[in-house]
Amino acid sequence: MLSEGAGDAASKPLLQGQTTLVVVKISKTTPTQGLTYRMYLDPVIGSPEPGFPAVQYGVNAVSALPTSLSIDNGTGFTTDEIRVGTTWTSVLPPEVSSWSNLGFGKPGSSGVPLLVGSGPLSVNSSNQFTLANANPASTAILVSSVTLLNMPVKGGILVPAPDLLIYLVTNASGSLSVPFILPAGAGPGVPLRLQYWIEDAGAPYGYSASNGLQGVTQ
């Protein structure tokens, strides 16, 4: 990070083929009327400004904040997007949901059961996945795995590998909610693949199925 003839370097290397989010904050300082430059590398999107930057240095006796921006990518690097703002959140990309719908629901007596997830999937966070539109008061088998299978089963598609099966029962409205706290030992970037298979006499082969649901730990 260079400006006004001064500079400093972070200890984190930038690697080809790897995307790095870089945030630079420039603030006016008093009483010297200088500038303080702070650079953050890969801050957590959706979190407040970290207490300590990767790099910080100051420049004294300047008349005003910079009015232009110059980026030297060097050899082998490109800049994908630039955001300029006056607040921390205004310059960060929008927060990406931890949950995504993988599809492949199989209809039953009440239509296609819907499985949705909520919560940030960060360490010690409160999360929940909820089943709706399923056959009321029926056995619902929760299939979960980190592995995608997408194998034809009983007229539908089994989305996760059947590594863990949990037998539950839907309520009178055909819904079911499971709250959970992500344990401290879970690292970031771990995919959780989930799907319900529900006993349903009105469905082919006696089972309806929700869409597959994927959550990625943060």
Side-chain angles (χ1 to χ4, degrees):
M1 182 169 64
L2 299 171
S3 182
E4 308 288 343
D8 201 354
S11 60
K12 177 180 178 178
L14 298 181
L15 304 176
Q16 290 189 1
Q18 174 180 301
T19 300
T20 300
L21 173 61
V22 180
V23 180
V24 177
K25 180 180 180 180
I26 308 172
S27 55
K28 197 80 175 289
T29 58
T30 56
T32 60
Q33 293 300 307
L35 296 178
T36 299
Y37 293 82
R38 298 177 178 88
M39 183 171 73
Y40 305 85
L41 298 177
D42 282 331
V44 178
I45 298 173
S47 296
E49 179 181 340
F52 299 96
V55 172
Q56 175 176 319
Y57 69 90
V59 179
N60 292 327
V62 295
S63 58
L65 289 171
T67 58
S68 63
L69 178 68
S70 176
I71 297 177
D72 181 3
N73 285 315
T75 303
F77 297 96
T78 59
T79 300
D80 296 326
E81 182 181 2
I82 298 175
R83 295 168 178 254
V84 179
T86 57
T87 65
W88 177 259
T89 55
S90 67
V91 299
L92 292 184
E95 188 172 3
V96 179
S97 174
S98 302
W99 302 92
S100 56
N101 188 327
L102 300 178
F104 296 114
K106 179 190 173 189
S109 301
S110 302
V112 180
L114 177 63
L115 179 59
V116 297
S118 61
L121 285 178
S122 54
V123 171
N124 294 324
S125 65
S126 296
N127 306 272
Q128 182 169 279
F129 45 90
T130 301
L131 175 68
N133 209 40
N135 198 36
S138 300
T139 299
I141 306 170
L142 177 62
V143 185
S144 64
S145 177
V146 298
T147 305
L148 279 177
L149 185 62
N150 289 343
M151 185 178 74
V153 172
K154 293 186 178 293
I157 299 294
L158 179 60
V159 178
D163 293 332
L164 177 63
L165 304 179
I166 301 176
Y167 288 76
L168 302 167
V169 178
T170 60
N171 62 22
S173 63
S175 300
L176 178 61
S177 294
V178 178
F180 67 98
I181 295 177
L182 195 71
V190 178
L192 307 175
R193 278 75 183 241
L194 308 163
Q195 187 183 29
Y196 275 104
W197 284 75
I198 304 102
E199 289 186 352
D200 190 334
Y205 300 95
Y207 281 91
S208 62
S210 74
N211 56 287
L213 178 68
Q214 175 175 278
V216 179
T217 61
Q218 303 300 307

